[in-house]
Amino acid sequence: MHSTFKLPEEPFRSTDPLLGFDLDPAHRAIIARAAALAAGRFAPRAAEFDRTAEFPADDFVDLHEAGLLGAAIPKGWGGLGFQPHSSDPFALWMMTKELAKADLSLARCWEGHGNAMTLIDGVGTDAQKQRWFGGVLGAGEVWSCWSGEPQTRVPGQAARFGTTVERVDGGYVVNGTKVFTTGGGGVNHAILLVSTAGPGAARHGTGNADELLMLVCDLPNPRVQFDARWWDPVGMRATASHLAHFDHLYIPDDNQLGPGGAFFAGKWQTRFTPQYAASFLGAAEAAYDYALTVLSAPDRRADPYVQHHAGHMAIAIEAAHLWLYRVARLWTGGEDEAAQLAAARVRYAVEHLAEDVVGHCMRACGARSLIRPSPVERIYRDLGFYFRHDSDDQVLATIGRSVLGEETDVSFFRSARA
Ligand SMILES: Cc1cc2nc3c(=O)[nH]c(=O)nc-3n(C[C@H](O)[C@H](O)[C@H](O)COP(=O)(O)OP(=O)(O)OC[C@H]3O[C@@H](n4cnc5c(N)ncnc54)[C@H](O)[C@@H]3O)c2cc1C
């Protein structure tokens, strides 16, 4: 006699995504603390920050009060020791993932802040570390990194974006414009990536690598004006990535971070690129959690198509974790060259895994998953826009070039740097 299989009353819960990964227990506890804060405080605020396109300042106050703002500062300087270049980058990436699960815009701002801490630790002087790490840990100061000076014009764009830098007595003078200044008007300091060769900065510049400077701009500053009207995007609205005008901004030598070219010489962007993947994964995991909640109703979870969608999502989420873990272990295992090349791979792979997860979530959950207050509506817009931060055509071409033995720019996904 057949016994009928009965679905359990309790809905299915996904297993802990970090199960089986070798993470320091202290790191695991800090990630759990960040996850609780993100779920309890940041997720409920995300919709309003998105609506008003407002920098999530309250979230950063909470991160400071919870002792998490200095996560990427080394322990020797009073931080939590999550710096990706001399600790376990997987720990930082998993913390970023938790913030992204609550709010992808917050995660982008957090990435910029963490990247700034890494650059200060990597190339700053002891006096600079003392001053700037002290400001973060003591006063809750928030940082960002601004390069964006895309050189191609788009319809409706009145003038070309870009900065010029002039050497003067005791420092530099910056003039011109930047776009995508994440945290513009909300952060206390920004590392300006600017080039003495002219407009284009790091990402869009064509000058010699050693002409790129990192100059720290203290904010607010009457010589830096933000134009918020420029920022009315489909997603990532709360990054407040405004258009900035620099009008004879003087930056003293004390605020220069490392010598010219230090950014490229240290291949720092390869340390930062996997962070995008961690953020994409966080957004995908939030969509997955939403889907599991919706689909755990007995009539839905018995449906074979729903089961396929759930299976796809589970595998994609797991694959993304495995990718990030592999890249982290290349770094911690001292395989620097392989890790630098793997940055592009994890960026590309996780973009498509995350896109897949959100697609399966929407197909399985239906149209109401895209109506507010469903978080999937925002995740879909945010991810679709955030993916454009790098062109995945160029990322894939970079990977192909390295496979074929062609010269490869591991920093910014284009053919060889001049
Ligand atoms: C949400 C978000 C947050 C961001 N935050 C920051 C930040 O904090 N700091 C920062 O510095 N930047 C930031 N950026 C900006 C980012 O670094 C890029 O500068 C920006 O996305 C470039 O804009 P674009 O894609 O419109 O332009 P483009 O770079 O012009 O790219 C448009 C398309 O044209 C192609 N293309 C461009 N130039 C060429 C060429 N010469 N030959 C062939 N193809 C080409 C590209 O591959 C792409 O497909 C952010 C971007 C986003 C979306």
Side-chain angles (χ1 to χ4, degrees), residues 240-254:
S241 298
H242 299 151
L243 162 61
H245 293 269
F246 303 92
D247 177 17
H248 295 89
L249 170 70
Y250 173 70
I251 300 191
D253 286 337
D254 278 355

Side-chain angles (χ1 to χ4, degrees), residues 12 14-21 90 94 97 281 284-285 288 310-326 346 350 353-354 357:
F12 171 78
S14 59
T15 47
D16 174 4
L18 296 185
L19 198 68
F21 289 117
F90 192 61
M94 289 302 99
K97 183 195 82 168
L281 173 57
E285 228 181 88
Y288 179 51
H312 272 289
M313 286 188 282
I315 294 167
I317 296 280
E318 198 165 6
H321 280 92
L322 287 164
W323 255 113
L324 281 159
Y325 182 72
R326 166 163 170 76
V346 71
V350 179
L353 289 166
V357 169

